[in-house]
Amino acid sequence: QPRKNSAAADLPLTWRTLREQEIEPGLFRDFIRHQVVDLCLRRDAGGWAVRSCPFVDSWSQADYRFLCECLRRTVRTGGLVYAAFAAGRLKGFVSVESEFFGSEGQYLDLSALHVSEDLRRSGVGRALFLAAADWARRQGARKLYISSHSALESQAFYAAMGCVDAAETNRQHVEADPFTHTCNTGFTPGARKNGPGRPRDPRGRRPAPLPWARQGKRGKSARGPSGKNCPSGKNPPGGH
């Protein structure tokens, strides 16, 4: 469970896109990836069911190094890595890949969304999700694809964001983690009225800035797959 009275919850927040050269393990020195999981979604013959699958999800130094490789690749191939900082310390981040996929090229992949344990349930995750959806919509995507952590808490978050089971699945994600739960949220590309809207600072102080807001919609990426999942079963480490 998140720490209820963390000092980080009272620190001012800033938001910005990350540059490839700054994505190093040291950037995450104040990020707490720790999640105690009990109940998870598991698929059986009757569909999705809640099962007890207790484990503790925590990242090793090797996980952080691999995470950085994944995020640098995302930036290098034209994707988004957007982060929340509390007093200059990274406390949350989201990434969206640049390659369109799906039967009609309708999806962009939300490859990571994580909030440090000491800032969970503060609205940071919601603001990051809305920023990612806004960016994907401006690129021309009709849906944001999520291959999420199967923990019930993670599933509740995406349900609250309006996500539903994806009509199509990304085979690469499913093969990497058969327990992943795929879902999506849809919107009208480039249309402000139908999009998720500009995210607001969860403390109500100032809207989270969206530096790409004045950029036009880009065409579909001609690049190939961005590489292997980050890491197996965790997209990047620990799922979403």
Side-chain angles (χ1 to χ4, degrees):
Q1 292 294 319
R3 297 166 185 174
K4 297 294 187 180
N5 298 311
S6 167
D10 297 320
L11 295 174
L13 290 176
T14 56
W15 311 77
R16 63 179 176 85
T17 53
L18 296 184
R19 303 179 301 275
E20 181 183 354
Q21 60 269 28
E22 69 180 313
I23 302 175
E24 298 288 346
L27 183 65
F28 298 88
R29 61 183 174 273
D30 296 303
F31 186 89
I32 305 169
R33 174 55 191 174
H34 180 260
Q35 184 176 0
V36 179
V37 177
D38 180 12
L39 300 178
C40 296
L41 282 186
R42 291 289 185 263
R43 186 184 290 277
D44 57 25
W48 290 101
V50 177
R51 299 282 185 266
S52 179
C53 306
F55 65 95
V56 176
D57 203 345
S58 184
W59 291 347
S60 66
Q61 288 303 308
D63 284 332
Y64 278 107
R65 288 192 295 270
F66 190 29
L67 167 68
C68 290
E69 292 177 17
C70 294
L71 296 180
R72 286 194 296 266
R73 184 191 305 120
T74 298
V75 175
R76 189 165 57 248
T77 55
L80 171 73
V81 180
Y82 188 63
F85 291 81
R89 300 170 182 175
L90 188 146
K91 290 294 181 181
F93 63 94
V94 66
S95 63
V96 183
E97 306 304 321
S98 62
E99 183 193 8
F100 289 80
F101 66 95
S103 60
E104 300 177 350
Q106 70 270 37
Y107 290 115
L108 281 179
D109 184 23
L110 189 153
S111 50
L113 195 166
H114 296 283
V115 177
S116 183
E117 184 181 35
D118 51 347
L119 269 185
R120 291 181 198 148
R121 298 183 183 176
S122 67
V124 170
R126 181 179 188 276
L128 290 171
F129 181 89
L130 292 179
D134 183 86
W135 184 87
R137 176 175 55 82
R138 291 175 187 273
Q139 307 313 299
R142 298 201 305 275
K143 294 182 179 182
L144 192 60
Y145 184 92
I146 302 105
S147 181
S148 66
H149 198 299
S150 60
L152 214 56
E153 295 86 353
S154 299
Q155 297 304 311
F157 169 78
Y158 286 110
M161 294 296 97
C163 297
V164 297
D165 284 356
E168 300 178 27
T169 57
N170 184 307
R171 188 175 64 180
Q172 183 181 12
H173 287 318
V174 175
E175 288 177 351
D177 181 7
F179 295 133
T180 192
H181 181 216
T182 58
C183 54
N184 64 240
T185 186
F187 35 82
T188 301
R192 290 176 181 269
K193 293 182 179 179
N194 294 326
R198 182 183 175 99
R200 297 189 177 278
D201 186 300
R203 285 83 175 276
R205 296 170 183 167
R206 181 182 299 176
L210 301 179
W212 55 84
R214 294 184 180 180
Q215 299 176 1
K217 181 176 68 176
R218 301 191 314 189
K220 293 184 180 181
S221 170
R223 299 183 180 91
S226 58
K228 60 183 178 180
N229 288 345
C230 303
S232 177
K234 311 169 181 180
N235 234 357
H240 301 314

